[in-house]
Amino acid sequence: MLRSPARRPSADSSRASPLSCKMDPALSAVRLTVQEAIHTLSSSEDVGHILSTLGTLKRYLGGTEDPALPEKEEFTTIHFSAILRCLVSKLSPGWLELSPDGQLEQLWESFFLDGPPDQAFLVLMEAIESTAGPSFRLMKMARLLEIFLSKGRVAALMEEQCRPQTKPSFPLFQETLLSKVVGLPDRLGNSLQQDNLTQFLPQNYFPLLGQEVVEVLKAVVNFLQGGLDCSVSFVSRVLGKVCIQGRKKEILGVLVPQLTVLTQDSCLWQRVCWRLVEQVPDRAVEAVLTGLVEAAPRPEVLSRLLGNLVVKNKKAQFVMTRKLLFLQYQHTTPMLQSLLGYLAVDSQRRPLLIQVLKELLETWGNSSAVRHAPLEQQCYISKAILVCLAHLGEPELQDIQDELLASMMAGVKCRLDSSLPPVRRLGMIVAEVISSRIHPEGPPLKFQYEDDEMSREMLALATPGPAGACSSETGGPSLASVVTETPVETPEKTVDSDVPSVQPQGSDSELDSDDEFIPYDMSGDKELKSSKEPRYIRDCLEALTTSEDMERWEAALNVLEGLVYRSPEATREVSVELAKVLLHLEEKTCMAEFEQLRQRALVAVTVTDPEQVAKYLTTQFYGLNYSLRQRMDILDVLVLAAQALSRPRSLQRLSQHGPPGSGTLCAPALASSQPGNAATPDWQVVVEERIKSKTRRFSKGCPRRELTGGPNEFNSVAGYFFFPLLQHFDRPLVTFDLLGDDQLVLGRLAHTLASLMYLAVNTTVAVPMGKALLEFVWALRFHVDTYVRRGLLSAVSSVLLSVPTERLLGDLPDELLEARSWLADVAEKDVDEDCRELAMRALLLLERLRDKLLSISSP
Amino acid sequence: MAAPFPPPPGPRFVLRGTQSPVNTLHFCPASQALGNPLLFSGSQSGLVHIWSLQTRRTVAALNGHKGQGVTWLKTLPQGHQLLSQGRDLRLCLWDLAEGRNTIMDTVQLDSVGFCKSSVLARGQLCWMLAVPGKGSDEVQILEMPSKTSVCTLKPEADAKPGMPMCLGLWQTNSSPRPLLLAGYEDGSVTLWDILERKVCSRIACHEEPVMGLDFDSQKAKGVSGSAGKVLAVWSLDGQQSLQVYKTHELTNPGIAEVTIRPDHKILATAGWDHRIRVFHWRTMKPLAVLAFHSASVYCVAFATDGLLAAGSKDQRISIWSLYPCS
């Protein structure tokens, strides 16, 4: 029999020597009996003899008939392990068969199940680990261990360690015990391999262990009530070790709910819990605390379980106030709420909460953090700030008002500078809430932002209220709104239903008359436009530049797009001038859809005369006196125009085919339905539907739509759109610095270039474009701004999509290799999720490229 | 999914040649036309054209208002007589019998406003005429053909409704008491009892001046249109008090005239937005929006057979045939 790294014998010998000095006469008796028994067991084949020997030994165990047996203590401390080992070594089918009625087997098991649990457990584990391969003995032991577990012996084992220690304790022994108790699933898994029993699987074992811990704690509480001192440090260590091993969900999922109930109105239980957490070894504190915060449903529960641990224990304080808040961000909002709520519940912990808020805000306001931290973390910190604010009262906030204000201003500034809308929105929401809390009486700070799920969630967090009721509160408003809505609706309905019921009374006998009056189509009944709209392009131009008559100005803008499409020749004569006017056009009146009208008109002009206008617009993009808005407008217009040009059936031809009589109304309608709509007129669809419904077909194939081919009009002009944009990006102007502050425009530029590249698919100029674009990407690949990086990544993807495969490999192999390594790097390490995903896609495209190449070359 | 509505019809035919915006239209009653239906139109140039609906040409042009616009036309029940009101402050009574086109009589008016007069036949040769009076807010009632002034209806001093904009004389079948509905500049419609010279009821149903009204004495309901966006339907109860029954919001503001078809089934409005709108009279359900004219429509008129005529600033008169009379 192999012995496991034997700490136990050494412990035995050290323990045996003082005892042997004291009780000489008894010693010899017990030792003699044991030696004799071992001899009998190892040699005898006689069942009766074996049984009687075991019976003698059994008497030393939990024999109730004579509890004060002096030998008992000696037997259990010194000789028990030896007996057990001997019993294990004898285990074989033949040996157990010696007594056919199972008496021997029963007696054999009872030694393990009734004796001191720690020794029995250690011997069992040792035996299982040292037994090789699938065998009868191994399975027998495993089954025995299963029974051992199911009989609650682990609880007895731990309870033993918690008892007031009369004997000196042995740290090494406890350490072994600990590692075996916690490591049981791993060890059993290793030994039993395929034959592992379900009870030993971690998902089953650790909940059981949790239950056992509860039992132990109950016993401890009983001891304490009985006036005995106890130590829970062993349980704490078990807990710590399990949590470190990553099984905190399993064990705490059982433990916390029960402790929640037990600690509810018992101070003693609370003290036991506090002690339990305090005694957790330092290196396990983080794991245990994280698990507890996750598992505790409410801040009050957490407070009952932890007490003032954060104040007393430095490590715990670090975990709770720094690690969970600043270094991690994967935790859920309820967890944040219970963590911060825990800090807020007790007056001793409140200074910590204020400290936390200050630090959170400092981080929030740090521009470098805003730039480099992933969005999820920023969101997490913002949420934490809002929860803190909800917990803090007026006077506390007044004390730190200045600091809050300073950090807030810094944070809002760098957040509003960000090119990512969610980051900007975070800045707005948090700033609104902070300012409303700092200056409740002053005029409220109010930003305009879209009301989405995240913002609603954030604002719900900020409403101060009983923190415990937060979860129920989130359901509250929606319920309330439903309730308030219904009564509003019902009167409307009744009003509606009243009207027809009243009318028959008023009219005498004309009940039938409704049928004969079928209304005609009234969709043409629109607001009357003033008759001031210009009829010619030049009139439009004049109206837009010089007209003081606002109605005429508006009318001109309204009809411009239609006019441009209807009279391309006239437009070409003044195209650049028109583009200039439109680019500099300012909203003079409060006109609905001004931006769209202006943009559509600009796109129309660009589509009509692409070469000249694109030249003009691209030079103006790097011009001196433009606002960022105008520069971004230029980019948008270029993309939209390129899109319109590269479409097989361009808008131009559509509007020419349109019904000529319908006049000005029809042109905008057509134009507004621009991208992608298969531009068959409504009536045609209706007619086709009707024919289809009335026609019976004998064979049904797929309805084939004739695809009309046409030249890609973007082909000849793509260069004018693309290359000028690349020329000056690294040359800062006084008013415009793409590589400096104006990174938002740089991001837009990157996205625009990507779109243009994509739209240039199947054009001859695609190859030089791709080359230039890859160079551009290479120059900017380590840009700090996420939005810019996203643009660059999509640019790479569109290069891969647009440039023909063979040219890509023939002309750009080096660039591709470089891009590949960069993409792999981004896909792995970038902080932004979208960036990682985009890089992943580009990599997949590259892979596909390689596959295509292989499939070409292999046959 | 809305059921596909049929597209609105075009006009049956169009009468051109007034050379001037058409201010008012009136169909000659079938009883007098004798198989040759006629339409009278009054234009801004002061001419009254008589159109034959069979040949679709002018039969005659009456020039009696010295080049000042004709604002109102009405045939009298007895004989071939036509009343025309002009902005030359005269009301002319034309004799059209046997091809004559002569002015039989004139009434001098005192108001320079645009208010159309109203007429009510009271006997074989006796009729009552309501015209805008001398004071800017007065309405004068004349007994015709004697031209004796019956009374002057003047609002109470503190009411200040402004000028009368449109008038409608009527009486119920049961009682001989003549009543007058008048739409005023402040957007109110007032019901006058002429014999007692007092206001029976008054409702403010518009925010802009009332431009036209029509009344259906069978249902005791009337409709008025104003310069604003709202078309108001009001009803008269047994105590002779007016109540707003329903309002209808229009797409564009401005109604020049409202006319209920003689069979009380539908009504039409003349819109400043160039469109004629047709509604179901009982439910006020919109039935059609007729967009034909290129300028404001000034007047709409119905013939007893259901034909609809509309005159516009674009100098055309469009004739429509919708929802035939049963």
Side-chain angles (χ1 to χ4, degrees):
Chain A
M1 187 167 81
L2 276 172
R3 297 202 174 205
S4 64
R7 290 171 189 133
R8 179 75 186 131
S10 66
D12 269 353
S13 59
S14 64
R15 212 194 285 190
S17 51
L19 281 170
S20 59
C21 301
K22 269 187 224 160
M23 327 193 214
D24 263 352
L27 160 93
S28 54
V30 178
R31 180 175 280 174
L32 273 176
T33 326
V34 170
Q35 275 172 356
E36 210 170 284
I38 288 178
H39 180 76
T40 317
L41 283 175
S42 49
S43 58
S44 171
E45 296 285 312
D46 178 12
V47 188
H49 196 187
I50 294 175
L51 282 178
S52 70
T53 316
L54 286 177
T56 327
L57 291 176
K58 188 85 200 292
R59 207 159 43 82
Y60 290 122
L61 283 178
T64 42
E65 57 274 18
D66 45 359
L69 206 64
E71 299 93 342
K72 188 178 163 189
E73 166 113 11
E74 194 197 338
F75 176 78
T76 50
T77 47
I78 302 173
H79 305 294
F80 185 57
S81 298
I83 295 288
L84 289 181
R85 286 200 185 93
C86 178
L87 282 175
V88 167
S89 70
K90 285 308 292 177
L91 184 63
S92 68
W95 191 70
L96 286 180
E97 291 295 308
L98 287 179
S99 121
D101 54 354
Q103 200 184 353
L104 183 60
E105 189 175 350
Q106 219 172 3
L107 199 59
W108 176 79
E109 278 183 1
S110 72
F111 270 88
F112 290 90
L113 297 178
D114 300 340
D118 46 353
Q119 295 180 40
F121 182 73
L122 282 179
V123 171
L124 261 179
M125 290 299 287
E126 192 184 282
I128 287 175
E129 280 181 275
S130 59
T131 312
S135 64
F136 170 80
R137 180 189 287 182
L138 187 62
M139 283 320 290
K140 195 74 203 162
M141 310 284 270
R143 297 246 174 259
L144 182 60
L145 186 60
E146 194 182 9
I147 299 170
F148 186 86
L149 291 182
S150 64
K151 288 210 162 174
R153 295 303 285 170
V154 180
L157 181 155
M158 289 191 281
E159 192 188 317
E160 199 71 22
Q161 303 301 319
C162 294
R163 253 175 223 279
Q165 294 284 337
T166 47
K167 300 162 274 187
S169 69
F170 299 97
L172 276 176
F173 172 68
Q174 275 204 344
E175 199 58 47
T176 315
L177 205 52
L178 179 68
S179 75
K180 300 245 159 133
V181 166
V182 176
L184 184 137
D186 296 340
R187 287 158 195 266
L188 266 291
N190 280 339
S191 302
L192 294 175
Q193 309 265 345
Q194 305 281 328
D195 307 319
N196 204 354
L197 304 175
T198 51
Q199 187 54 60
F200 303 139
L201 296 179
Q203 61 267 37
N204 298 327
Y205 175 72
F206 288 111
L208 176 103
L209 195 59
Q211 187 56 45
E212 302 289 71
V213 168
V214 175
E215 298 303 324
V216 174
L217 292 179
K218 277 181 186 161
V220 166
V221 169
N222 279 337
F223 286 143
L224 290 174
Q225 277 166 344
L228 288 168
D229 288 340
C230 277
S231 150
V232 287
S233 83
F234 184 75
V235 185
S236 299
R237 283 162 69 190
V238 168
L239 196 61
K241 198 148 181 137
V242 172
C243 287
I244 281 188
Q245 290 196 354
R247 296 295 173 180
K248 46 182 181 266
K249 274 229 174 63
E250 282 91 346
I251 191 165
L252 292 175
V254 175
L255 199 54
V256 170
Q258 301 205 34
L259 288 181
T260 306
V261 178
L262 289 167
T263 52
Q264 196 146 23
D265 16 59
S266 160
C267 288
L268 190 59
W269 265 103
Q270 289 188 16
R271 259 182 50 217
V272 169
C273 274
W274 299 350
R275 193 78 193 138
L276 179 71
V277 188
E278 271 168 34
Q279 300 260 318
V280 171
D282 266 359
R283 63 199 176 88
V285 163
E286 183 194 340
V288 174
L289 282 183
T290 315
L292 281 175
V293 175
E294 268 168 10
R298 288 187 306 278
E300 301 85 68
V301 174
L302 197 58
S303 181
R304 287 209 301 267
L305 296 182
L306 297 184
N308 270 336
L309 183 71
V310 263
V311 187
K312 293 183 215 151
N313 186 330
K314 279 273 169 255
K315 175 84 183 177
Q317 186 173 0
F318 173 76
V319 169
M320 297 283 269
T321 60
R322 292 213 63 86
K323 197 144 191 184
L324 289 182
L325 292 172
F326 294 96
L327 303 177
Q328 302 175 343
Y329 56 91
Q330 78 276 31
H331 304 297
T332 58
T333 315
M335 179 173 154
L336 259 185
Q337 277 177 323
S338 55
L339 169 60
L340 294 167
Y342 161 73
L343 292 181
V345 167
D346 191 278
S347 61
Q348 278 185 299
R349 292 175 231 143
R350 269 185 107 81
L352 278 178
L353 184 65
I354 295 172
Q355 185 61 32
V356 162
L357 177 60
K358 279 191 216 162
E359 283 168 10
L360 278 171
L361 263 178
E362 211 169 285
T363 313
W364 190 80
N366 186 327
S367 71
S368 156
V370 173
R371 246 179 292 135
H372 295 288
L375 179 63
E376 293 82 10
Q377 184 168 20
Q378 300 193 27
C379 196
Y380 183 78
I381 288 190
S382 304
K383 278 181 189 165
I385 291 175
L386 295 184
V387 175
C388 279
L389 285 173
H391 282 298
L392 285 176
E394 200 75 21
E396 287 161 311
L397 286 174
Q398 290 304 323
D399 289 346
I400 51 168
Q401 184 178 357
D402 294 339
E403 286 162 74
L404 291 187
L405 204 60
S407 316
M408 178 191 99
M409 294 315 262
V412 170
K413 183 186 168 299
C414 54
R415 275 198 162 62
L416 291 183
D417 278 345
S418 166
S419 47
L420 298 178
V423 175
R424 291 201 292 268
R425 205 177 310 146
L426 275 183
M428 297 181 202
I429 294 173
V430 174
E432 273 183 12
V433 174
I434 294 180
S435 75
S436 74
R437 294 302 310 274
I438 296 181
H439 306 289
E441 69 288 338
L445 181 65
K446 192 79 195 134
F447 287 103
Q448 283 187 329
Y449 48 81
E450 286 157 47
D451 192 28
D452 69 345
E453 199 175 323
M454 184 184 84
S455 62
R456 275 192 295 273
E457 189 194 336
M458 304 274 289
L459 289 176
L461 284 182
T463 47
C470 271
S471 55
S472 65
E473 252 178 14
T474 49
S478 61
L479 255 181
S481 62
V482 167
V483 171
T484 48
E485 263 170 29
T486 35
V488 173
E489 268 176 13
T490 37
E492 275 177 9
K493 274 180 196 162
T494 52
V495 166
D496 281 348
S497 56
D498 274 353
V499 172
S501 69
V502 162
Q503 275 173 353
Q505 298 172 354
S507 68
D508 343 314
S509 57
E510 303 174 36
L511 293 171
D512 54 338
S513 57
D514 264 351
D515 302 338
E516 48 188 295
F517 297 111
I518 300 155
Y520 290 104
D521 181 24
M522 276 172 283
S523 55
D525 190 19
K526 302 261 171 58
E527 291 267 346
L528 193 68
K529 279 187 271 177
S530 70
S531 54
K532 293 179 172 179
E533 52 195 38
R535 307 278 169 92
Y536 302 99
I537 290 279
R538 282 175 195 277
D539 286 353
C540 259
L541 200 57
E542 186 245 310
L544 288 176
T545 45
T546 58
S547 178
E548 293 297 313
D549 182 352
M550 280 308 132
E551 276 185 34
R552 188 170 162 78
W553 185 85
E554 283 187 7
L557 192 57
N558 267 318
V559 295
L560 185 54
E561 190 198 8
L563 277 181
V564 168
Y565 280 128
R566 260 182 290 147
S567 47
E569 280 77 23
T571 308
R572 266 177 221 124
E573 290 167 17
V574 291
S575 59
V576 173
E577 204 182 333
L578 195 54
K580 190 193 258 171
V581 168
L582 284 170
L583 188 60
H584 290 91
L585 202 61
E586 278 171 15
E587 192 170 4
K588 288 190 193 170
T589 58
C590 199
M591 191 175 171
E593 298 192 322
F594 168 81
E595 287 299 331
Q596 289 95 311
L597 283 171
R598 171 170 162 242
Q599 188 182 57
R600 292 219 299 260
L602 256 177
V603 171
V605 176
T606 317
V607 168
T608 312
D609 192 8
E611 186 181 328
Q612 296 303 323
V613 179
K615 255 187 204 166
Y616 170 74
L617 287 179
T618 47
T619 47
Q620 296 311 302
F621 179 72
Y622 289 108
L624 200 56
N625 291 321
Y626 285 96
S627 67
L628 296 186
R629 180 73 252 165
Q630 280 169 316
R631 293 184 209 269
M632 290 200 277
D633 284 345
I634 290 177
L635 295 177
D636 290 346
V637 166
L638 286 175
V639 170
L640 287 172
Q643 198 178 4
L645 283 171
S646 68
R647 212 158 282 286
R649 299 171 70 185
S650 81
L651 293 172
Q652 205 177 340
R653 233 166 297 140
L654 279 182
S655 57
Q656 279 170 358
H657 284 299
S662 49
T664 51
L665 275 176
C666 108
L670 265 178
S672 66
S673 68
Q674 44 163 324
N677 278 3
T680 40
D682 287 347
W683 61 268
Q684 204 169 333
V685 174
V686 172
V687 169
E688 274 173 17
E689 282 294 315
R690 254 187 225 172
I691 291 176
K692 216 182 268 174
S693 66
K694 296 270 164 67
T695 315
R696 198 183 292 170
R697 290 175 203 275
F698 291 104
S699 66
K700 248 189 188 170
C702 351
R704 238 176 253 171
R705 176 160 295 186
E706 199 116 334
L707 284 177
T708 52
N712 182 349
E713 290 170 31
F714 191 48
N715 184 15
S716 52
V717 292
Y720 297 111
F721 281 70
F722 186 82
F723 292 111
L725 288 180
L726 279 176
Q727 272 168 5
H728 299 286
F729 76 93
D730 47 357
R731 277 168 239 172
L733 300 171
V734 187
T735 50
F736 186 45
D737 181 9
L738 269 182
L739 297 183
D741 288 339
D742 298 327
Q743 44 186 251
L744 176 62
V745 186
L746 184 63
R748 285 291 271 273
L749 177 64
H751 280 95
T752 303
L753 292 171
S755 308
L756 290 177
M757 184 71 231
Y758 179 68
L759 291 168
V761 65
N762 299 332
T763 60
T764 47
V765 75
V767 179
M769 273 171 80
K771 200 171 170 95
L773 190 54
L774 282 181
E775 271 167 29
F776 173 78
V777 169
W778 189 246
L780 290 173
R781 67 195 184 283
F782 293 128
H783 201 276
V784 287
D785 191 79
T786 317
Y787 187 62
V788 174
R789 283 202 306 275
R790 285 186 200 168
L792 297 177
L793 288 163
S794 45
V796 174
S797 293
S798 50
V799 169
L800 294 175
L801 285 170
S802 287
V803 181
T805 315
E806 57 275 18
R807 300 297 305 275
L808 209 51
L809 291 164
D811 294 10
L812 314 165
D814 297 342
E815 283 88 345
L816 278 188
L817 270 181
E818 283 171 337
R820 192 194 155 101
S821 59
W822 173 62
L823 286 173
D825 199 44
V826 171
E828 200 171 335
K829 294 186 193 145
D830 201 288
V831 288
D832 187 70
E833 200 183 326
D834 283 359
C835 280
R836 291 196 298 269
E837 193 185 319
L838 283 169
M840 212 58 220
R841 285 176 188 214
L843 277 177
L844 285 177
L845 283 175
L846 263 176
E847 283 294 310
R848 210 176 65 178
L849 211 65
R850 206 184 59 181
D851 294 347
K852 213 189 269 177
L853 190 74
L854 287 177
S855 67
I856 290 169
S857 61
S858 57
Chain B
M1 283 295 291
F5 293 114
R12 183 127 159 244
F13 54 89
V14 180
L15 305 175
R16 295 181 176 82
T18 59
Q19 313 261 320
S20 168
V22 182
N23 280 351
T24 180
L25 288 169
H26 182 67
F27 279 99
C28 181
S31 58
Q32 296 173 25
L34 299 173
N36 181 18
L38 296 175
L39 173 71
F40 303 103
S41 75
S43 67
Q44 209 162 53
S45 61
L47 292 182
V48 175
H49 293 268
I50 305 176
W51 303 84
S52 162
L53 295 178
Q54 269 176 346
T55 62
R56 302 175 188 177
R57 319 243 151 177
T58 45
V59 177
L62 314 178
N63 187 356
H65 287 284
K66 300 172 185 163
Q68 302 282 317
V70 178
T71 57
W72 179 64
L73 290 171
K74 178 88 180 170
T75 50
L76 289 178
Q78 65 276 28
H80 298 279
Q81 291 183 342
L82 176 74
L83 269 172
S84 70
Q85 180 188 0
R87 300 214 60 214
D88 59 344
L89 303 187
R90 283 205 309 168
L91 205 106
C92 297
L93 178 63
W94 300 83
D95 177 15
L96 303 177
E98 297 160 1
R100 285 190 295 271
N101 299 325
T102 51
I103 298 176
M104 288 164 66
D105 200 355
T106 61
V107 177
Q108 199 65 32
L109 299 177
D110 296 315
S111 165
V112 290
F114 290 87
C115 180
K116 296 178 178 183
S117 306
S118 180
V119 98
L120 177 67
R122 306 213 65 201
Q124 197 53 39
L125 288 167
C126 172
W127 36 282
M128 187 178 264
L129 182 67
V131 295
K134 194 167 193 166
S136 72
D137 56 354
E138 288 171 5
V139 179
Q140 197 177 14
I141 308 290
L142 298 172
E143 193 70 51
M144 294 296 277
S146 60
K147 294 199 264 180
T148 47
S149 173
V150 176
C151 61
T152 302
L153 304 176
K154 186 173 164 61
E156 287 165 37
D158 55 345
K160 296 209 176 85
M163 286 190 287
M165 303 299 287
C166 48
L167 303 170
L169 274 174
W170 62 286
Q171 66 184 25
T172 54
N173 296 334
S174 51
S175 87
R177 297 173 78 87
L179 298 165
L180 174 73
L181 279 163
Y184 284 95
E185 201 180 352
D186 70 343
S188 65
V189 172
T190 304
L191 179 70
W192 290 90
D193 187 320
I194 290 171
L195 296 186
E196 295 186 23
R197 298 173 202 180
K198 71 167 174 88
V199 175
C200 293
S201 174
R202 176 164 183 269
I203 44 165
C205 45
H206 298 284
E207 292 181 346
E208 302 286 331
V210 181
M211 300 306 292
L213 60 80
D214 202 355
F215 191 73
D216 172 6
S217 54
Q218 281 177 13
K219 294 196 180 73
K221 253 177 18 174
V223 58
S224 57
S226 74
K229 272 188 148 184
V230 173
L231 199 64
V233 180
W234 23 265
S235 61
L236 193 62
D237 63 10
Q239 281 78 45
Q240 307 257 320
S241 86
L242 292 167
Q243 275 161 354
V244 175
Y245 174 74
K246 203 172 190 177
T247 58
H248 182 85
E249 183 91 1
L250 300 165
T251 318
N252 292 303
I255 291 293
E257 191 171 19
V258 185
T259 309
I260 303 172
R261 199 162 78 176
D263 65 353
H264 307 304
K265 288 279 172 69
I266 59 175
L267 76 134
T269 64
W272 291 355
D273 61 351
H274 317 176
R275 290 171 201 153
I276 305 155
R277 285 159 209 278
V278 180
F279 296 87
H280 189 248
W281 170 226
R282 184 162 58 78
T283 61
M284 284 308 283
K285 183 168 96 173
L287 293 177
V289 177
L290 306 173
F292 166 77
H293 290 284
S294 56
S296 299
V297 182
Y298 283 155
C299 48
V300 281
F302 278 109
T304 38
D305 62 352
L307 217 53
L308 166 67
S312 160
K313 192 186 174 185
D314 67 0
Q315 312 186 353
R316 294 183 291 180
I317 301 166
S318 54
I319 309 291
W320 308 75
S321 176
L322 300 168
Y323 304 110
C325 289
S326 48

